[in-house]
Amino acid sequence: MMRVTLADVAAAAGVSTATVSHVLRSAERNDGTIRVSSSTRETVHRVAGELGYVPSAAGRGLALGAVERIAIMVPNLVQPYFARMAEALILALEERGLSTTLRLARDAEAERDALLGVTTRDVAGLIVCPHFLSEELLDGASPALPTVQVGGLPTPGIDAVVMGEREGFLTATRHLLDLGRRRIAYVADPWLPSHEGPRYRGYLEAHTERGLEVDPALAIQGTDWDRRETGLEAMVGLLRSGAPFDAVMCINDAAAVGAMRAASLAGLRIPQDVAFTGFDNTEEAAYTTPPLTSVDPGVPEMAQRAVAMLIARLEGEDGPARRESAPLELIVRSSTGG
C-alpha cells in the first residue's frame, strides 16, 4: 500500500499542497500563526485523519523545527561557481529557517558515501553539486535521505535542477558567429575527445546551423576544468599548435581567466585579435582585462528551486524524480567587443 502524501490530502480537501503543509506544521508547532480559516483547518485535519496521513520522519522534524541541518556538498571551493552556488543555497535554506553544513567531495567515493548516508547520518537532507554522480556510481542503490542534485547530467531517480549547459553554449557560439568569428576554439573540456558533453554539443550545434564545420584541432581537452591553470595550459598548447583561431570559448570563467592571461602574454589583443567567452558569470568575469562575456546560468534561481524541491520531499511528497531548470542569459562584455 502506497503512503498517503500531502498532495493526496490536498486533493481530497480541495486546497493546495502548500495549505495542507502549513496547516499541519502550524498544528504541530502550536504557534497559531497560520492565516487560514478555522473551517479550512478543520477540513485539512479531518481529511488527513481519514486518509491516514503520517508525516515522514524528516518531515515531522521539519514541522517541529527539530531538523537542524541540511548538507550542501560541492567538489571544491577553488572553482568560483561552486563557491557562489554554495552561498546561494545556504541563503535560500536560511530563508526557510534551516541551517546548513558544507561538505567537500574530492572524489567519487566521497560523493557516493554522502548520497548513501555513510557520511550524512547527521543531516535530514542533501543538496549535491556533483562531479562524479552517475547511475553507474550508485550501482542500483538509492540515496539514503531526501536528495536534490544541482547541475551536472541528471541521474535517474534523483530530483535535479539542471543547468542549461547546451543552451548556454549554443547561445554564446551564435553570438561569436554573429560577430563574424569563424575559427572558434573550444577550451578545455574533460569530456573531450568523446564529444559527449552538453557544452560541446551546443558549440557544435551552432556551427551546424550555419553550415560550418568545426576544425577538430580547435577542440582542446583539459584534465581539470575547475582551475585557471587549465585554461592557461590549454591556451599555450593551442598557440604552439599553430592552428589559426579568432575566438575562444572557454568551458567556464575559471578556464577563461587563465586562457586570457596566456593570450595577453603572447601579444594577442582582446577582442581585436581574439574574442573570449566564459560560462558561469562569476564575479571575477566583470574584472578581467577586458571584462569577460559569460553565460549566466541563473545560480540564485537554481538554488531557490533546489531548496523548494528538497523541502517538498522532507514534507512527505512522493512521486518520480523531477527535473527543473532556471533561465539563463548571455552577459555580453568587452571580451567579445560588447
Side-chain angles (χ1 to χ4, degrees):
M1 181 176 179
M2 295 184 64
R3 183 166 61 88
V4 176
T5 69
L6 285 175
D8 296 329
V9 176
V15 297
S16 70
T17 304
T19 297
V20 173
S21 173
H22 288 315
V23 168
L24 297 181
R25 288 171 61 186
S26 176
E28 292 200 44
R29 291 167 62 176
N30 196 30
D31 57 17
T33 61
I34 196 69
R35 294 183 179 179
V36 296
S37 67
S38 58
S39 61
T40 297
R41 283 200 300 270
E42 291 172 1
T43 298
V44 169
H45 286 299
R46 175 178 55 77
V47 171
E50 291 173 352
L51 295 179
Y53 172 75
V54 178
S56 65
R60 188 180 300 108
L62 186 63
L64 295 171
V67 172
E68 296 181 356
R69 293 185 295 180
I70 302 298
I72 297 170
M73 176 157 286
V74 297
N76 61 68
L77 294 174
V78 172
Q79 161 63 267
Y81 160 77
F82 290 125
R84 185 182 177 205
M85 179 58 78
E87 180 181 35
L89 288 167
I90 290 169
L91 293 175
L93 286 161
E94 283 182 351
E95 290 174 0
R96 306 296 188 97
L98 296 170
S99 62
T100 56
T101 174
L102 184 61
R103 312 287 174 86
L104 298 181
R106 302 179 189 275
D107 53 36
E109 182 179 0
E111 205 164 271
R112 183 186 64 245
D113 285 350
L115 269 84
L116 298 186
V118 177
T119 57
T120 48
R121 294 191 179 95
D122 59 333
V123 297
L126 172 66
I127 300 178
V128 56
C129 300
H131 244 200
F132 313 97
L133 182 58
S134 66
E135 191 173 12
E136 292 73 25
L137 179 68
L138 295 179
D139 192 25
S142 299
L145 67 168
T147 298
V148 176
Q149 172 184 341
V150 181
L153 297 176
T155 307
I158 298 179
D159 289 333
V161 179
V162 297
M163 183 185 291
E165 297 179 77
R166 184 194 64 82
E167 297 83 355
F169 264 74
L170 177 63
T171 300
T173 309
R174 286 170 174 167
H175 169 66
L176 291 171
L177 293 171
D178 288 343
L179 294 173
R181 309 287 175 157
R182 291 296 181 268
R183 297 280 301 172
I184 304 174
Y186 177 79
V187 174
D189 192 340
W191 283 92
L192 297 174
S194 67
H195 304 322
E196 294 177 353
R199 303 188 190 203
Y200 182 82
R201 291 200 300 270
Y203 162 81
L204 184 63
E205 184 177 334
H207 282 84
T208 302
E209 287 178 349
R210 309 294 175 93
L212 300 172
E213 292 187 6
V214 171
D215 184 350
L218 297 181
I220 310 300
Q221 185 177 15
T223 56
D224 183 353
W225 63 0
D226 289 332
R227 299 181 182 274
R228 296 156 187 83
E229 293 91 335
T230 298
L232 188 147
E233 293 166 356
M235 192 68 189
V236 168
L238 179 60
L239 289 165
R240 288 177 176 172
S241 74
F245 59 92
D246 56 14
V248 178
M249 298 192 71
C250 295
I251 194 72
N252 55 35
D253 290 357
V257 169
M260 291 173 69
R261 174 67 172 164
S264 296
L265 290 174
L268 295 177
R269 299 170 301 162
I270 306 171
Q272 294 90 337
D273 299 325
V274 57
F276 278 85
T277 65
F279 193 102
D280 292 335
N281 193 36
T282 56
E283 184 177 353
E284 101 185 292
Y287 295 96
T288 56
T289 304
L292 176 66
T293 292
S294 184
V295 176
D296 188 333
V299 167
E301 179 65 19
M302 290 176 69
Q304 289 289 342
R305 294 186 183 205
V307 169
M309 293 170 77
L310 181 65
I311 288 178
R313 296 302 191 189
L314 288 170
E315 291 182 335
E317 181 176 296
D318 283 332
R322 294 177 296 168
R323 302 283 181 267
E324 294 188 14
S325 60
L328 54 81
E329 181 182 5
L330 180 66
I331 308 299
V332 178
R333 300 190 179 94
S334 302
S335 69
T336 58

